Amino acid sequence: MGSTLNTNDFMKIMKERRSIRNYDPTVKISKKEMTEILEEATTAPSSVNAQPWRFLVIESDEGKEKLAKLASFNQLQVTTSSAVIAVFADMNNADYLEDIYLKAVELGYMTQEVKNRQIEALTAHFEKLPAQVNRETILIDAGLVSMQLMLTARAHGYDTNPIGGYDKENIAKAFGLEEERYVPVMLLSIGKAAEEGYASYRLPVETIAQWK
């Protein structure tokens, strides 16, 4: 993202973020910059660092036309945005643990001994992990990366809108993904706002938090 953000910069990004529905269709985000945005977003935490999030960047006319049929009342975001990122959670996330932990050893983040011990324990854990528990966990992880993705996009000067109103039952199949493996989380439209989004009220902390 260029320079390091200080606290004031970060607070400004959070407070200025708006959910945008109408974008400037002439603004396109390059694959290089989109890759940077995704790389930065994926510094988000995940359970046992399994990183179960998967992204489908839908930017072509053909892809958007296909998505528009699944996007219910969110056609405008699909057609005007630079891209729509479909966020999925991978039920087979454990398949990547060996690669992730091996790379951590190569980078000096952990020793080979620690890696071996962790992989042995995690392999046993995932072998008996109920599918529903796995699903619940990866949905939380994918939610974390989605929020970070929106803030990262804002830091790059782009606007976003999280979309839950779409055909979740058919989106994986429509784009050639394994339906049992890839769990749809949300759509995130991204681009340059064509109109200013509305500010919204937030409940006070006294209403939403308790101290014991």
Side-chain angles (χ1 to χ4, degrees), residues 93-203:
N93 61 104
D95 291 352
Y96 294 88
L97 286 173
E98 177 68 30
D99 292 340
I100 292 169
Y101 280 63
L102 179 60
K103 192 64 179 180
V105 173
E106 292 175 1
L107 293 170
Y109 299 160
M110 67 172 60
T111 65
Q112 183 69 41
E113 181 184 3
V114 170
K115 178 258 183 187
N116 292 343
R117 187 168 63 247
Q118 292 274 47
I119 289 295
E120 181 179 358
L122 290 172
T123 299
H125 167 73
F126 276 99
E127 283 178 352
K128 60 184 180 182
L129 184 69
Q132 184 59 32
V133 175
N134 185 28
R135 181 187 176 95
E136 291 170 359
T137 301
I138 64 177
L139 285 174
I140 292 171
D141 292 343
L144 290 171
V145 81
S146 295
M147 185 69 253
Q148 188 140 310
L149 179 52
M150 286 186 277
L151 294 177
T152 302
R154 186 63 190 157
H156 277 255
Y158 299 110
D159 300 284
T160 56
N161 185 29
I163 301 169
Y166 64 100
D167 187 350
K168 294 183 177 69
E169 290 187 8
N170 292 303
I171 187 168
K173 181 179 179 181
F175 286 93
L177 301 177
E178 296 177 41
E179 296 176 79
E180 296 301 316
R181 175 174 178 176
Y182 296 103
V183 182
V185 179
M186 70 178 73
L187 302 177
L188 287 174
S189 57
I190 180 171
K192 280 283 188 180
E195 54 189 36
E196 188 174 348
Y198 294 103
S200 56
Y201 168 73
R202 293 295 185 268
L203 290 169

